[in-house]
mmCIF file of all heavy atoms in Angstrom:
data_model
loop_
_atom_site.group_PDB
_atom_site.id
_atom_site.type_symbol
_atom_site.label_atom_id
_atom_site.label_comp_id
_atom_site.label_asym_id
_atom_site.label_seq_id
_atom_site.Cartn_x
_atom_site.Cartn_y
_atom_site.Cartn_z
ATOM 1 N N GLY A 243 15.292 0.133 50.334
ATOM 2 C CA GLY A 243 15.016 0.320 51.757
ATOM 3 C C GLY A 243 15.809 1.427 52.405
ATOM 4 O O GLY A 243 15.661 1.658 53.615
ATOM 5 N N ASP A 244 16.641 2.129 51.650
ATOM 6 C CA ASP A 244 17.425 3.219 52.232
ATOM 7 C C ASP A 244 16.511 4.365 52.660
ATOM 8 O O ASP A 244 15.435 4.581 52.089
ATOM 9 C CB ASP A 244 18.455 3.731 51.232
ATOM 10 C CG ASP A 244 19.452 2.648 50.838
ATOM 11 O OD1 ASP A 244 19.517 1.634 51.564
ATOM 12 O OD2 ASP A 244 20.124 2.816 49.809
ATOM 13 N N GLU A 245 16.976 5.129 53.640
ATOM 14 C CA GLU A 245 16.160 6.200 54.206
ATOM 15 C C GLU A 245 15.793 7.248 53.162
ATOM 16 O O GLU A 245 14.690 7.788 53.167
ATOM 17 C CB GLU A 245 16.900 6.861 55.370
ATOM 18 C CG GLU A 245 16.106 7.957 56.078
ATOM 19 C CD GLU A 245 14.807 7.455 56.677
ATOM 20 O OE1 GLU A 245 14.750 6.270 57.085
ATOM 21 O OE2 GLU A 245 13.826 8.236 56.732
ATOM 22 N N ILE A 246 16.708 7.541 52.240
ATOM 23 C CA ILE A 246 16.414 8.570 51.235
ATOM 24 C C ILE A 246 15.282 8.117 50.308
ATOM 25 O O ILE A 246 14.461 8.921 49.871
ATOM 26 C CB ILE A 246 17.695 8.906 50.435
ATOM 27 C CG1 ILE A 246 17.426 10.095 49.513
ATOM 28 C CG2 ILE A 246 18.189 7.686 49.643
ATOM 29 C CD1 ILE A 246 18.674 10.611 48.813
ATOM 30 N N TYR A 247 15.219 6.805 50.039
ATOM 31 C CA TYR A 247 14.136 6.301 49.204
ATOM 32 C C TYR A 247 12.813 6.277 49.971
ATOM 33 O O TYR A 247 11.744 6.558 49.409
ATOM 34 C CB TYR A 247 14.480 4.897 48.696
ATOM 35 C CG TYR A 247 15.625 4.880 47.715
ATOM 36 C CD1 TYR A 247 16.922 4.620 48.130
ATOM 37 C CD2 TYR A 247 15.402 5.115 46.358
ATOM 38 C CE1 TYR A 247 17.973 4.610 47.238
ATOM 39 C CE2 TYR A 247 16.444 5.102 45.444
ATOM 40 C CZ TYR A 247 17.737 4.849 45.893
ATOM 41 O OH TYR A 247 18.776 4.836 45.002
ATOM 42 N N LEU A 248 12.893 5.953 51.265
ATOM 43 C CA LEU A 248 11.680 5.962 52.091
ATOM 44 C C LEU A 248 11.117 7.375 52.190
ATOM 45 O O LEU A 248 9.909 7.583 52.075
ATOM 46 C CB LEU A 248 11.999 5.419 53.487
ATOM 47 C CG LEU A 248 12.433 3.945 53.562
ATOM 48 C CD1 LEU A 248 12.858 3.583 54.980
ATOM 49 C CD2 LEU A 248 11.300 3.038 53.115
ATOM 50 N N LYS A 249 12.004 8.356 52.397
ATOM 51 C CA LYS A 249 11.546 9.742 52.480
ATOM 52 C C LYS A 249 11.014 10.219 51.130
ATOM 53 O O LYS A 249 10.011 10.937 51.063
ATOM 54 C CB LYS A 249 12.692 10.649 52.937
ATOM 55 C CG LYS A 249 12.263 12.092 53.173
ATOM 56 C CD LYS A 249 13.407 12.944 53.651
ATOM 57 C CE LYS A 249 12.907 14.339 54.036
ATOM 58 N NZ LYS A 249 12.181 15.021 52.942
ATOM 59 N N GLY A 250 11.672 9.805 50.040
ATOM 60 C CA GLY A 250 11.174 10.180 48.713
ATOM 61 C C GLY A 250 9.783 9.635 48.450
ATOM 62 O O GLY A 250 8.927 10.334 47.896
ATOM 63 N N ALA A 251 9.524 8.401 48.874
ATOM 64 C CA ALA A 251 8.200 7.807 48.683
ATOM 65 C C ALA A 251 7.147 8.551 49.503
ATOM 66 O O ALA A 251 6.042 8.831 49.031
ATOM 67 C CB ALA A 251 8.226 6.330 49.060
ATOM 68 N N ARG A 252 7.497 8.876 50.757
ATOM 69 C CA ARG A 252 6.563 9.625 51.606
ATOM 70 C C ARG A 252 6.283 11.003 51.019
ATOM 71 O O ARG A 252 5.139 11.470 51.006
ATOM 72 C CB ARG A 252 7.114 9.747 53.027
ATOM 73 C CG ARG A 252 7.082 8.471 53.842
ATOM 74 C CD ARG A 252 7.309 8.760 55.307
ATOM 75 N NE ARG A 252 8.605 9.384 55.536
ATOM 76 C CZ ARG A 252 9.721 8.715 55.831
ATOM 77 N NH1 ARG A 252 9.687 7.391 55.918
ATOM 78 N NH2 ARG A 252 10.860 9.345 56.043
ATOM 79 N N ASP A 253 7.323 11.678 50.539
ATOM 80 C CA ASP A 253 7.150 13.019 49.984
ATOM 81 C C ASP A 253 6.283 12.995 48.724
ATOM 82 O O ASP A 253 5.422 13.863 48.533
ATOM 83 C CB ASP A 253 8.509 13.633 49.672
ATOM 84 C CG ASP A 253 9.279 14.009 50.930
ATOM 85 O OD1 ASP A 253 8.660 13.993 52.013
ATOM 86 O OD2 ASP A 253 10.482 14.299 50.841
ATOM 87 N N ILE A 254 6.520 12.022 47.857
ATOM 88 C CA ILE A 254 5.716 11.928 46.636
ATOM 89 C C ILE A 254 4.259 11.655 46.976
ATOM 90 O O ILE A 254 3.341 12.253 46.394
ATOM 91 C CB ILE A 254 6.285 10.834 45.712
ATOM 92 C CG1 ILE A 254 7.622 11.278 45.127
ATOM 93 C CG2 ILE A 254 5.308 10.524 44.579
ATOM 94 C CD1 ILE A 254 8.302 10.207 44.294
ATOM 95 N N GLY A 255 4.025 10.748 47.918
ATOM 96 C CA GLY A 255 2.642 10.462 48.327
ATOM 97 C C GLY A 255 1.962 11.686 48.902
ATOM 98 O O GLY A 255 0.799 11.975 48.587
ATOM 99 N N SER A 256 2.692 12.441 49.742
ATOM 100 C CA SER A 256 2.121 13.661 50.326
ATOM 101 C C SER A 256 1.832 14.700 49.250
ATOM 102 O O SER A 256 0.810 15.397 49.288
ATOM 103 C CB SER A 256 3.070 14.237 51.370
ATOM 104 O OG SER A 256 3.269 13.331 52.430
ATOM 105 N N ALA A 257 2.751 14.829 48.271
ATOM 106 C CA ALA A 257 2.559 15.811 47.200
ATOM 107 C C ALA A 257 1.353 15.453 46.334
ATOM 108 O O ALA A 257 0.559 16.325 45.974
ATOM 109 C CB ALA A 257 3.819 15.898 46.345
ATOM 110 N N LEU A 258 1.203 14.175 45.994
ATOM 111 C CA LEU A 258 0.058 13.747 45.183
ATOM 112 C C LEU A 258 -1.259 14.027 45.908
ATOM 113 O O LEU A 258 -2.218 14.543 45.319
ATOM 114 C CB LEU A 258 0.173 12.252 44.867
ATOM 115 C CG LEU A 258 1.212 11.844 43.820
ATOM 116 C CD1 LEU A 258 1.352 10.332 43.794
ATOM 117 C CD2 LEU A 258 0.815 12.364 42.450
ATOM 118 N N TYR A 259 -1.296 13.670 47.193
ATOM 119 C CA TYR A 259 -2.525 13.873 47.967
ATOM 120 C C TYR A 259 -2.834 15.359 48.116
ATOM 121 O O TYR A 259 -3.983 15.785 47.937
ATOM 122 C CB TYR A 259 -2.387 13.224 49.344
ATOM 123 C CG TYR A 259 -3.601 13.423 50.223
ATOM 124 C CD1 TYR A 259 -4.726 12.616 50.084
ATOM 125 C CD2 TYR A 259 -3.628 14.420 51.193
ATOM 126 C CE1 TYR A 259 -5.840 12.791 50.889
ATOM 127 C CE2 TYR A 259 -4.741 14.608 51.999
ATOM 128 C CZ TYR A 259 -5.835 13.792 51.836
ATOM 129 O OH TYR A 259 -6.949 13.985 52.626
ATOM 130 N N GLN A 260 -1.807 16.174 48.438
ATOM 131 C CA GLN A 260 -2.039 17.602 48.646
ATOM 132 C C GLN A 260 -2.461 18.285 47.355
ATOM 133 O O GLN A 260 -3.330 19.163 47.367
ATOM 134 C CB GLN A 260 -0.770 18.257 49.196
ATOM 135 C CG GLN A 260 -0.988 19.664 49.709
ATOM 136 C CD GLN A 260 -1.966 19.705 50.871
ATOM 137 O OE1 GLN A 260 -1.869 18.889 51.785
ATOM 138 N NE2 GLN A 260 -2.906 20.636 50.830
ATOM 139 N N HIS A 261 -1.867 17.893 46.232
ATOM 140 C CA HIS A 261 -2.245 18.479 44.945
ATOM 141 C C HIS A 261 -3.702 18.172 44.635
ATOM 142 O O HIS A 261 -4.453 19.050 44.178
ATOM 143 C CB HIS A 261 -1.340 17.934 43.841
ATOM 144 C CG HIS A 261 -1.604 18.539 42.495
ATOM 145 N ND1 HIS A 261 -2.604 18.072 41.654
ATOM 146 C CD2 HIS A 261 -1.016 19.571 41.842
ATOM 147 C CE1 HIS A 261 -2.608 18.791 40.545
ATOM 148 N NE2 HIS A 261 -1.655 19.707 40.626
ATOM 149 N N THR A 262 -4.125 16.940 44.887
ATOM 150 C CA THR A 262 -5.518 16.562 44.635
ATOM 151 C C THR A 262 -6.466 17.295 45.574
ATOM 152 O O THR A 262 -7.538 17.747 45.164
ATOM 153 C CB THR A 262 -5.685 15.043 44.793
ATOM 154 O OG1 THR A 262 -4.741 14.374 43.952
ATOM 155 C CG2 THR A 262 -7.092 14.612 44.404
ATOM 156 N N ALA A 263 -6.073 17.419 46.831
ATOM 157 C CA ALA A 263 -6.915 18.131 47.793
ATOM 158 C C ALA A 263 -7.025 19.605 47.440
ATOM 159 O O ALA A 263 -8.097 20.214 47.580
ATOM 160 C CB ALA A 263 -6.361 17.962 49.205
ATOM 161 N N ASP A 264 -5.927 20.212 46.970
ATOM 162 C CA ASP A 264 -5.933 21.637 46.641
ATOM 163 C C ASP A 264 -6.855 21.951 45.468
ATOM 164 O O ASP A 264 -7.410 23.054 45.393
ATOM 165 C CB ASP A 264 -4.515 22.109 46.319
ATOM 166 C CG ASP A 264 -3.630 22.164 47.558
ATOM 167 O OD1 ASP A 264 -4.189 22.154 48.669
ATOM 168 O OD2 ASP A 264 -2.390 22.196 47.401
ATOM 169 N N GLU A 265 -7.019 21.012 44.546
ATOM 170 C CA GLU A 265 -7.912 21.257 43.415
ATOM 171 C C GLU A 265 -9.310 20.672 43.640
ATOM 172 O O GLU A 265 -10.014 20.330 42.700
ATOM 173 C CB GLU A 265 -7.312 20.705 42.122
ATOM 174 C CG GLU A 265 -7.093 19.211 42.094
ATOM 175 C CD GLU A 265 -6.794 18.715 40.694
ATOM 176 O OE1 GLU A 265 -7.055 19.465 39.729
ATOM 177 O OE2 GLU A 265 -6.336 17.569 40.568
ATOM 178 N N LYS A 266 -9.687 20.560 44.939
ATOM 179 C CA LYS A 266 -11.019 20.096 45.336
ATOM 180 C C LYS A 266 -11.320 18.703 44.784
ATOM 181 O O LYS A 266 -12.410 18.415 44.292
ATOM 182 C CB LYS A 266 -12.092 21.091 44.882
ATOM 183 C CG LYS A 266 -11.920 22.496 45.456
ATOM 184 C CD LYS A 266 -12.992 23.440 44.970
ATOM 185 C CE LYS A 266 -12.872 24.810 45.613
ATOM 186 N NZ LYS A 266 -11.578 25.472 45.316
ATOM 187 N N GLY A 267 -10.322 17.844 44.882
ATOM 188 C CA GLY A 267 -10.474 16.485 44.369
ATOM 189 C C GLY A 267 -11.551 15.696 45.092
ATOM 190 O O GLY A 267 -12.200 14.834 44.486
ATOM 191 N N GLU A 268 -11.769 15.979 46.371
ATOM 192 C CA GLU A 268 -12.791 15.253 47.125
ATOM 193 C C GLU A 268 -14.173 15.455 46.519
ATOM 194 O O GLU A 268 -14.956 14.516 46.373
ATOM 195 C CB GLU A 268 -12.774 15.715 48.587
ATOM 196 C CG GLU A 268 -13.736 14.958 49.483
ATOM 197 C CD GLU A 268 -13.609 15.387 50.925
ATOM 198 O OE1 GLU A 268 -12.648 16.115 51.257
ATOM 199 O OE2 GLU A 268 -14.468 14.990 51.730
ATOM 200 N N HIS A 269 -14.479 16.692 46.108
ATOM 201 C CA HIS A 269 -15.781 16.977 45.506
ATOM 202 C C HIS A 269 -15.876 16.380 44.101
ATOM 203 O O HIS A 269 -16.952 15.920 43.688
ATOM 204 C CB HIS A 269 -16.003 18.487 45.449
ATOM 205 C CG HIS A 269 -16.033 19.142 46.797
ATOM 206 N ND1 HIS A 269 -17.138 19.115 47.629
ATOM 207 C CD2 HIS A 269 -15.076 19.830 47.481
ATOM 208 C CE1 HIS A 269 -16.870 19.764 48.740
ATOM 209 N NE2 HIS A 269 -15.628 20.202 48.677
ATOM 210 N N LYS A 270 -14.766 16.370 43.375
ATOM 211 C CA LYS A 270 -14.794 15.816 42.021
ATOM 212 C C LYS A 270 -14.970 14.301 42.051
ATOM 213 O O LYS A 270 -15.697 13.736 41.222
ATOM 214 C CB LYS A 270 -13.512 16.202 41.289
ATOM 215 C CG LYS A 270 -13.397 17.712 41.058
ATOM 216 C CD LYS A 270 -12.078 18.104 40.421
ATOM 217 C CE LYS A 270 -11.996 19.614 40.239
ATOM 218 N NZ LYS A 270 -10.703 20.046 39.648
ATOM 219 N N VAL A 271 -14.328 13.641 43.012
ATOM 220 C CA VAL A 271 -14.521 12.196 43.155
ATOM 221 C C VAL A 271 -15.955 11.898 43.570
ATOM 222 O O VAL A 271 -16.568 10.925 43.099
ATOM 223 C CB VAL A 271 -13.521 11.629 44.185
ATOM 224 C CG1 VAL A 271 -13.830 10.160 44.489
ATOM 225 C CG2 VAL A 271 -12.098 11.765 43.672
ATOM 226 N N ARG A 272 -16.512 12.734 44.424
ATOM 227 C CA ARG A 272 -17.904 12.542 44.852
ATOM 228 C C ARG A 272 -18.851 12.640 43.656
ATOM 229 O O ARG A 272 -19.776 11.836 43.507
ATOM 230 C CB ARG A 272 -18.265 13.592 45.901
ATOM 231 C CG ARG A 272 -19.683 13.482 46.459
ATOM 232 C CD ARG A 272 -19.960 14.627 47.430
ATOM 233 N NE ARG A 272 -21.322 14.587 47.948
ATOM 234 C CZ ARG A 272 -21.693 13.936 49.037
ATOM 235 N NH1 ARG A 272 -20.785 13.262 49.725
ATOM 236 N NH2 ARG A 272 -22.940 13.944 49.447
#
């Protein structure tokens, strides 16, 4: 529950989503 772990979780989630979006993941999932 420490702030550094909360920020790490948010950053990893943002990185995963942005990486998928950058490689046109929305169209590939479709």
Side-chain angles (χ1 to χ4, degrees):
D244 298 344
E245 183 60 31
I246 187 173
Y247 292 96
L248 295 174
K249 185 179 187 304
R252 287 194 300 267
D253 289 348
I254 290 175
S256 298
L258 286 171
Y259 178 81
Q260 192 62 45
H261 183 276
T262 306
D264 289 343
E265 62 167 344
K266 300 179 176 61
E268 184 176 349
H269 298 281
K270 295 176 181 179
V271 172
R272 181 183 178 89

